[in-house]
Amino acid sequence: MANPQILASTVVGADAVAGRLDGPTGPRPRRALSRRNVILYGTLIVIALYYLLPLYVMVVTSLKGMPEIRLGNIFSPPVEVTFQPWVKAWSEACTGLNCDGLSRGFWNSVRILIPSVVLSIAIASVNGYALANWRFKGADVFFTILIIGAFIPYQVMIYPIVILLREIGLYGSLTGLVIVHSIFGMPILTLLFRNYFTSVPEELFKAARVDGAGFWGIYFRIMLPMSLPIFVVAIILQVTGIWNDFLFGVVYTRPDVYPMTVQLNNIVNSVQGVKEYNVNMAATILTGLVPLVVYFFSGKLFVRGIAAGAVKG
Amino acid sequence: MSNGKRPTQLFRNLSAKIAAIPMILTAVVVFVGCSVWTVVYSFTDSKLLPRTNFVGLDQYERLWGTRRWLISIENLAIYGVLSLVFSLLIGFLLAALLDQKIRFEDTFRTIFLYPFALSFIVTGLVWQWILNPDFGVQNIVRGLGWDSFTFDPLYDSSIVIYGVLIAGLWQGTGLVMCLMLAGLRGIDEDIWKATRVEGIPMWKTYLFVVIPMMRPVFITTLVIIATGIVKLYDLIVAQTGGGPGIASEVPAKYVYDLMFQAQNLGQGFAASTMMLVTVVIIVIPWAYLEFGGRKHG
């Protein structure tokens, strides 16, 4: 019982709508769900999930109790959330005779990290500044050796450095490790600062010279305030690098001053006792937390840092 | 300049020279001095303490006659080749995907790169857990009903190095992606327009136009990955401890163990000298290609 009039008007209406749809000119808006986009974003999401998986497994495992871990699936979320593994990893887990948890390693790492970052950046920035603005005869020779040296495997140099540190009475101490970090951070940091200071307009430097400013005056009053971004990049580079170091920590320190990475490895890969996977994973996250926080908060600067770190020479 | 008197010459620009003292010491004493020292002492029969009783190539003969060293070299070769190929492939692929003017590029990049912020120790321990046959991937697939499914690379000495490779790639591909992405962004937009006008399919453009143009980026990345591979140590220590048995030993671990645990310094020095030789073989051709044409400065 269709009303012919209404029917007619709907047809007209549909026509009009169709006309309007054909109407606008210009490029057709791209559909969000084109085949290309589905494949593109689908692939990206699958890969992203793969990259996130280990982080997820770490977190999930660390929140489960041991009975639940023994029953099941490492990917399933915890039925009963417990923070006990975290507490245990931080303050009770044993390495050798010490049973005061990872907190010891954490504070050791902090005590290694802060002076190492400050010292290495201080040396490298002043050095980079000298190389960029106060070139002296022979500077390039040493700089070239320094950059080439960055490629030498550490294993080649670790033993003679043990002897050197022993000679000056610093072998096994945190100070010794701080020096080692400053030495091996030098090539990349010097390069970073030298390149940055070279890009600063020379007129600025010359004007300051005319005004009677000397080496340190120009460094502290002009270069330093101008180059805060590059200092941030250097700090990011050093904080993650030094925190993640394992080799130097294990070679140049004694067990009671081991950095966090070494202690973590000793806790997890210890052969004594029952393996507590939840505590191990909590300890692993705790150790990874500092660089992860730096990474997530620094964003693009981190990328700049590693790009600078990568493009040596 | 050259007619200045000697003392004034020395004291000219004194502050800069003082500022460069740490660099000069590092370059001369550590990088040159310590490396030469190790190479020289690799020709001695040092055991517990270094001593200068030269024995020619004895240490090297013993080194290349040691099964553990040969396994280490083989592992490094397998890991190295596969790691190079796959990280370049995956890194480039991810970079190309991110370069399609997509939304949430920053989010994806952040996700792909975050493992690089983690240490090899953390990486090794996580993957040790995921690849644990009793609880990890193998157990889950078996739980789904495929009872005979076996995937326990960390307990199977014939495939253990691939288990390490999985972890290494997870950690390192983000960096390669970043370098490749920077390379892709350096390609002139007009090239893309030109190939689009010509109707050349995208994959062909990548393969025959973009990748050849990115040659310098590829070479730099190659050198970075390769020198990193030679240093492979922490990951092995954390993930497998060199095991099962000695199936996943690598040269860097051989050096450390011989020097600091077996107290056989001469062997450690010889092995580390071999590592140095490897790096020289990688870096010299690259440095020649990169800087050979230009004046060095």
Side-chain angles (χ1 to χ4, degrees), chain B residues 250-272:
Chain B
V250 283
K253 187 163 177 293
Y254 186 90
V255 172
Y256 177 85
D257 289 353
L258 268 287
M259 277 185 194
F260 296 97
Q261 270 155 16
Q263 277 148 357
N264 192 342
L265 287 175
Q267 274 293 290
F269 295 149
S272 58

Side-chain angles (χ1 to χ4, degrees), chain A residues 58-167:
Chain A
M58 265 195 280
V59 174
V60 167
T61 307
S62 74
L63 296 175
K64 289 177 189 169
M66 265 321 276
E68 201 185 325
I69 290 177
R70 283 201 201 89
L71 284 176
N73 180 329
I74 58 167
F75 300 115
S76 63
V79 181
E80 235 178 292
V81 173
T82 165
F83 290 98
Q84 193 53 38
W86 287 68
V87 175
K88 189 163 185 201
W90 178 253
S91 57
E92 291 160 35
C94 295
T95 43
L97 296 173
N98 300 321
C99 282
D100 43 9
L102 259 185
S103 52
R104 171 196 289 269
F106 176 84
W107 291 114
N108 284 340
S109 275
V110 170
R111 287 194 298 163
I112 295 163
L113 184 74
I114 292 171
S116 303
V117 170
V118 172
L119 185 67
S120 61
I121 291 179
I123 292 174
S125 65
V126 175
N127 188 25
Y129 161 67
L131 289 171
N133 299 99
W134 299 80
R135 302 165 67 95
F136 57 90
K137 227 175 154 185
D140 280 341
V141 176
F142 295 114
F143 182 62
T144 309
I145 297 175
L146 191 76
I147 298 302
I148 294 172
F151 289 102
I152 303 174
Y154 299 141
Q155 279 77 9
V156 178
M157 297 172 280
I158 46 177
Y159 197 84
I161 294 175
V162 168
I163 299 177
L164 288 177
L165 287 177
R166 200 185 280 142
E167 290 297 312

